[in-house]
Structures are given as structure tokens and as C-alpha cells.
Amino acid sequence: MGANVSGLENPHGFIHAKTPLVMELQSKHQWRSQYEASKQSDRLVVIYYTAAWCGPCKFIEPYVKDFAAMYTDVQFIKIDVDWLPEAAKAFDLIDVLPTFVLVKRGKEIDRVVGAKKDELQMKTEKRRN
């Protein structure tokens, strides 16, 4: 008599994908390659700056994964600023974590500073077209 609930559903009402849709960059080469590729595309790229020690980053991470599953036309990239500090220097003033930089054709078009999931979703929705 229980409800038929998918094992993928979380308490926030989003569906978790089984495959990772957020690309985690771990080398300078990966960063340069992805950044150069973004310059050649009209596709929205959301760069998620984070750190392992960041509490608000851990809070918002499930939502970032959910957004990546929802917005398959958007590329989500995760960068740990402790592993790749040079990637944080690509865009001015990444001094609060998490910071989300929305990029098209290699240029910043918007930004979300802090673990503001509603603002991130709104700006992603607005900028993806």
C-alpha cells in the first residue's frame, strides 16, 4: 500500500541522475581545453567554483547536480579553487564560495555569489537561450 516512489527522487523533489552531468576539472590542461572550447560555442557554461572545506558548497551541490540533469543544453563545470587556483583567476574576484560564473563564448554574462539555488536556477533558465 506504499507509494510508488523512484529510488532517484530526493526530498527536494528533484530527480538525481545516475551519471555525472557536472564535469569536475582537475588539471590546468582540462581547464584550458574546456575554456577554449567555450569560446567557440553559444552553449551556456556554468562554472561552479567550490572547495572541499566549504559548507555552503556542500549544501548546494545536490541542487547543482539536479540543475545539470534538468538543463542538458547547459554545460556545468566544477572547479575546486584549491586544486586549480589559476582557473579562479580567469574571472575577476572569486573571493566567496560557492561562486557560479555563467559564460557564453568565453565571456562572463552573469554570476551568482553564494549558495543561492533559486537565483542560480533563475539565471541559468534566463541565460541558456
Side-chain angles (χ1 to χ4, degrees), residues 23-42:
M23 180 183 298
E24 187 168 356
L25 304 185
Q26 299 181 346
S27 74
K28 291 178 189 180
H29 174 72
Q30 285 179 316
W31 163 245
R32 278 191 232 109
S33 175
Q34 287 300 314
Y35 183 63
E36 290 303 316
S38 78
K39 291 179 181 180
Q40 307 304 316
S41 173
D42 287 327

mmCIF file of all heavy atoms in Angstrom, residues 23-42:
data_model
loop_
_atom_site.group_PDB
_atom_site.id
_atom_site.type_symbol
_atom_site.label_atom_id
_atom_site.label_comp_id
_atom_site.label_asym_id
_atom_site.label_seq_id
_atom_site.Cartn_x
_atom_site.Cartn_y
_atom_site.Cartn_z
ATOM 1 N N MET A 23 30.892 18.296 -14.910
ATOM 2 C CA MET A 23 32.266 17.926 -15.225
ATOM 3 C C MET A 23 33.196 18.560 -14.192
ATOM 4 O O MET A 23 33.234 19.773 -14.058
ATOM 5 C CB MET A 23 32.634 18.421 -16.629
ATOM 6 C CG MET A 23 34.041 18.081 -17.036
ATOM 7 S SD MET A 23 34.475 18.758 -18.644
ATOM 8 C CE MET A 23 33.295 17.919 -19.673
ATOM 9 N N GLU A 24 33.924 17.729 -13.465
ATOM 10 C CA GLU A 24 34.868 18.224 -12.464
ATOM 11 C C GLU A 24 36.261 18.279 -13.083
ATOM 12 O O GLU A 24 36.812 17.251 -13.460
ATOM 13 C CB GLU A 24 34.869 17.326 -11.233
ATOM 14 C CG GLU A 24 35.706 17.884 -10.111
ATOM 15 C CD GLU A 24 35.483 17.162 -8.792
ATOM 16 O OE1 GLU A 24 34.613 16.278 -8.727
ATOM 17 O OE2 GLU A 24 36.178 17.492 -7.840
ATOM 18 N N LEU A 25 36.791 19.485 -13.198
ATOM 19 C CA LEU A 25 38.116 19.662 -13.795
ATOM 20 C C LEU A 25 39.184 19.572 -12.715
ATOM 21 O O LEU A 25 39.049 20.169 -11.654
ATOM 22 C CB LEU A 25 38.196 21.008 -14.514
ATOM 23 C CG LEU A 25 37.148 21.259 -15.591
ATOM 24 C CD1 LEU A 25 37.428 22.568 -16.305
ATOM 25 C CD2 LEU A 25 37.083 20.114 -16.579
ATOM 26 N N GLN A 26 40.261 18.840 -13.034
ATOM 27 C CA GLN A 26 41.298 18.615 -12.036
ATOM 28 C C GLN A 26 42.697 18.932 -12.527
ATOM 29 O O GLN A 26 43.662 18.678 -11.818
ATOM 30 C CB GLN A 26 41.215 17.173 -11.535
ATOM 31 C CG GLN A 26 39.896 16.882 -10.874
ATOM 32 C CD GLN A 26 39.788 15.466 -10.352
ATOM 33 O OE1 GLN A 26 40.586 14.592 -10.692
ATOM 34 N NE2 GLN A 26 38.805 15.221 -9.522
ATOM 35 N N SER A 27 42.790 19.500 -13.732
ATOM 36 C CA SER A 27 44.121 19.857 -14.222
ATOM 37 C C SER A 27 44.055 21.151 -15.021
ATOM 38 O O SER A 27 43.002 21.522 -15.538
ATOM 39 C CB SER A 27 44.687 18.738 -15.111
ATOM 40 O OG SER A 27 44.033 18.722 -16.370
ATOM 41 N N LYS A 28 45.213 21.799 -15.123
ATOM 42 C CA LYS A 28 45.299 23.026 -15.925
ATOM 43 C C LYS A 28 44.942 22.738 -17.375
ATOM 44 O O LYS A 28 44.282 23.534 -18.029
ATOM 45 C CB LYS A 28 46.716 23.612 -15.853
ATOM 46 C CG LYS A 28 47.093 24.176 -14.524
ATOM 47 C CD LYS A 28 48.530 24.683 -14.567
ATOM 48 C CE LYS A 28 49.025 25.054 -13.202
ATOM 49 N NZ LYS A 28 50.416 25.541 -13.226
ATOM 50 N N HIS A 29 45.392 21.590 -17.865
ATOM 51 C CA HIS A 29 45.114 21.216 -19.251
ATOM 52 C C HIS A 29 43.601 21.082 -19.485
ATOM 53 O O HIS A 29 43.081 21.577 -20.486
ATOM 54 C CB HIS A 29 45.821 19.910 -19.609
ATOM 55 C CG HIS A 29 45.470 19.404 -20.974
ATOM 56 N ND1 HIS A 29 45.911 20.009 -22.132
ATOM 57 C CD2 HIS A 29 44.676 18.369 -21.352
ATOM 58 C CE1 HIS A 29 45.410 19.375 -23.166
ATOM 59 N NE2 HIS A 29 44.660 18.369 -22.726
ATOM 60 N N GLN A 30 42.913 20.393 -18.571
ATOM 61 C CA GLN A 30 41.458 20.262 -18.695
ATOM 62 C C GLN A 30 40.791 21.638 -18.692
ATOM 63 O O GLN A 30 39.893 21.896 -19.480
ATOM 64 C CB GLN A 30 40.886 19.442 -17.542
ATOM 65 C CG GLN A 30 41.121 17.968 -17.613
ATOM 66 C CD GLN A 30 40.519 17.278 -16.399
ATOM 67 O OE1 GLN A 30 40.662 17.732 -15.263
ATOM 68 N NE2 GLN A 30 39.847 16.167 -16.644
ATOM 69 N N TRP A 31 41.223 22.509 -17.784
ATOM 70 C CA TRP A 31 40.644 23.842 -17.689
ATOM 71 C C TRP A 31 40.842 24.618 -18.990
ATOM 72 O O TRP A 31 39.904 25.161 -19.535
ATOM 73 C CB TRP A 31 41.223 24.616 -16.504
ATOM 74 C CG TRP A 31 40.966 26.088 -16.599
ATOM 75 C CD1 TRP A 31 41.891 27.070 -16.744
ATOM 76 C CD2 TRP A 31 39.700 26.750 -16.604
ATOM 77 N NE1 TRP A 31 41.272 28.289 -16.835
ATOM 78 C CE2 TRP A 31 39.924 28.127 -16.752
ATOM 79 C CE3 TRP A 31 38.382 26.312 -16.502
ATOM 80 C CZ2 TRP A 31 38.909 29.073 -16.797
ATOM 81 C CZ3 TRP A 31 37.352 27.248 -16.542
ATOM 82 C CH2 TRP A 31 37.614 28.601 -16.683
ATOM 83 N N ARG A 32 42.086 24.655 -19.470
ATOM 84 C CA ARG A 32 42.370 25.405 -20.704
ATOM 85 C C ARG A 32 41.559 24.859 -21.874
ATOM 86 O O ARG A 32 41.021 25.613 -22.675
ATOM 87 C CB ARG A 32 43.866 25.377 -21.015
ATOM 88 C CG ARG A 32 44.634 26.418 -20.228
ATOM 89 C CD ARG A 32 46.072 26.555 -20.746
ATOM 90 N NE ARG A 32 46.958 26.421 -19.604
ATOM 91 C CZ ARG A 32 47.751 25.388 -19.367
ATOM 92 N NH1 ARG A 32 47.869 24.414 -20.224
ATOM 93 N NH2 ARG A 32 48.493 25.356 -18.284
ATOM 94 N N SER A 33 41.488 23.563 -21.973
ATOM 95 C CA SER A 33 40.760 22.925 -23.065
ATOM 96 C C SER A 33 39.269 23.277 -23.020
ATOM 97 O O SER A 33 38.674 23.646 -24.038
ATOM 98 C CB SER A 33 40.949 21.405 -22.981
ATOM 99 O OG SER A 33 40.187 20.758 -23.943
ATOM 100 N N GLN A 34 38.666 23.172 -21.863
ATOM 101 C CA GLN A 34 37.239 23.495 -21.723
ATOM 102 C C GLN A 34 36.975 24.985 -21.947
ATOM 103 O O GLN A 34 35.994 25.359 -22.583
ATOM 104 C CB GLN A 34 36.720 23.075 -20.345
ATOM 105 C CG GLN A 34 36.576 21.593 -20.179
ATOM 106 C CD GLN A 34 35.605 20.997 -21.175
ATOM 107 O OE1 GLN A 34 34.512 21.508 -21.392
ATOM 108 N NE2 GLN A 34 36.000 19.907 -21.794
ATOM 109 N N TYR A 35 37.853 25.811 -21.423
ATOM 110 C CA TYR A 35 37.667 27.256 -21.580
ATOM 111 C C TYR A 35 37.792 27.665 -23.050
ATOM 112 O O TYR A 35 36.977 28.433 -23.560
ATOM 113 C CB TYR A 35 38.666 28.018 -20.709
ATOM 114 C CG TYR A 35 38.493 29.512 -20.773
ATOM 115 C CD1 TYR A 35 37.318 30.101 -20.327
ATOM 116 C CD2 TYR A 35 39.488 30.330 -21.288
ATOM 117 C CE1 TYR A 35 37.137 31.482 -20.401
ATOM 118 C CE2 TYR A 35 39.310 31.703 -21.362
ATOM 119 C CZ TYR A 35 38.135 32.270 -20.909
ATOM 120 O OH TYR A 35 37.960 33.620 -20.997
ATOM 121 N N GLU A 36 38.779 27.129 -23.739
ATOM 122 C CA GLU A 36 38.947 27.435 -25.165
ATOM 123 C C GLU A 36 37.753 26.931 -25.976
ATOM 124 O O GLU A 36 37.288 27.617 -26.886
ATOM 125 C CB GLU A 36 40.261 26.857 -25.703
ATOM 126 C CG GLU A 36 41.495 27.570 -25.181
ATOM 127 C CD GLU A 36 41.499 29.076 -25.485
ATOM 128 O OE1 GLU A 36 41.164 29.472 -26.615
ATOM 129 O OE2 GLU A 36 41.839 29.852 -24.571
ATOM 130 N N ALA A 37 37.255 25.757 -25.646
ATOM 131 C CA ALA A 37 36.081 25.214 -26.342
ATOM 132 C C ALA A 37 34.858 26.094 -26.119
ATOM 133 O O ALA A 37 34.042 26.278 -27.028
ATOM 134 C CB ALA A 37 35.805 23.792 -25.878
ATOM 135 N N SER A 38 34.734 26.661 -24.920
ATOM 136 C CA SER A 38 33.569 27.517 -24.630
ATOM 137 C C SER A 38 33.568 28.775 -25.493
ATOM 138 O O SER A 38 32.506 29.325 -25.791
ATOM 139 C CB SER A 38 33.520 27.890 -23.148
ATOM 140 O OG SER A 38 34.440 28.921 -22.837
ATOM 141 N N LYS A 39 34.735 29.214 -25.910
ATOM 142 C CA LYS A 39 34.834 30.417 -26.745
ATOM 143 C C LYS A 39 34.243 30.193 -28.135
ATOM 144 O O LYS A 39 33.871 31.145 -28.811
ATOM 145 C CB LYS A 39 36.295 30.858 -26.876
ATOM 146 C CG LYS A 39 36.892 31.385 -25.601
ATOM 147 C CD LYS A 39 38.349 31.762 -25.833
ATOM 148 C CE LYS A 39 39.002 32.284 -24.586
ATOM 149 N NZ LYS A 39 40.413 32.655 -24.817
ATOM 150 N N GLN A 40 34.186 28.941 -28.542
ATOM 151 C CA GLN A 40 33.715 28.601 -29.886
ATOM 152 C C GLN A 40 32.241 28.207 -29.921
ATOM 153 O O GLN A 40 31.728 27.833 -30.963
ATOM 154 C CB GLN A 40 34.549 27.443 -30.441
ATOM 155 C CG GLN A 40 36.036 27.669 -30.400
ATOM 156 C CD GLN A 40 36.465 28.931 -31.122
ATOM 157 O OE1 GLN A 40 36.004 29.213 -32.212
ATOM 158 N NE2 GLN A 40 37.339 29.707 -30.496
ATOM 159 N N SER A 41 31.560 28.307 -28.784
ATOM 160 C CA SER A 41 30.196 27.794 -28.706
ATOM 161 C C SER A 41 29.240 28.825 -28.105
ATOM 162 O O SER A 41 29.626 29.617 -27.252
ATOM 163 C CB SER A 41 30.192 26.534 -27.827
ATOM 164 O OG SER A 41 28.882 26.096 -27.591
ATOM 165 N N ASP A 42 27.998 28.768 -28.559
ATOM 166 C CA ASP A 42 26.948 29.609 -27.978
ATOM 167 C C ASP A 42 26.300 28.944 -26.773
ATOM 168 O O ASP A 42 25.392 29.507 -26.159
ATOM 169 C CB ASP A 42 25.866 29.912 -29.020
ATOM 170 C CG ASP A 42 26.343 30.907 -30.060
ATOM 171 O OD1 ASP A 42 27.142 31.795 -29.717
ATOM 172 O OD2 ASP A 42 25.914 30.787 -31.224
#
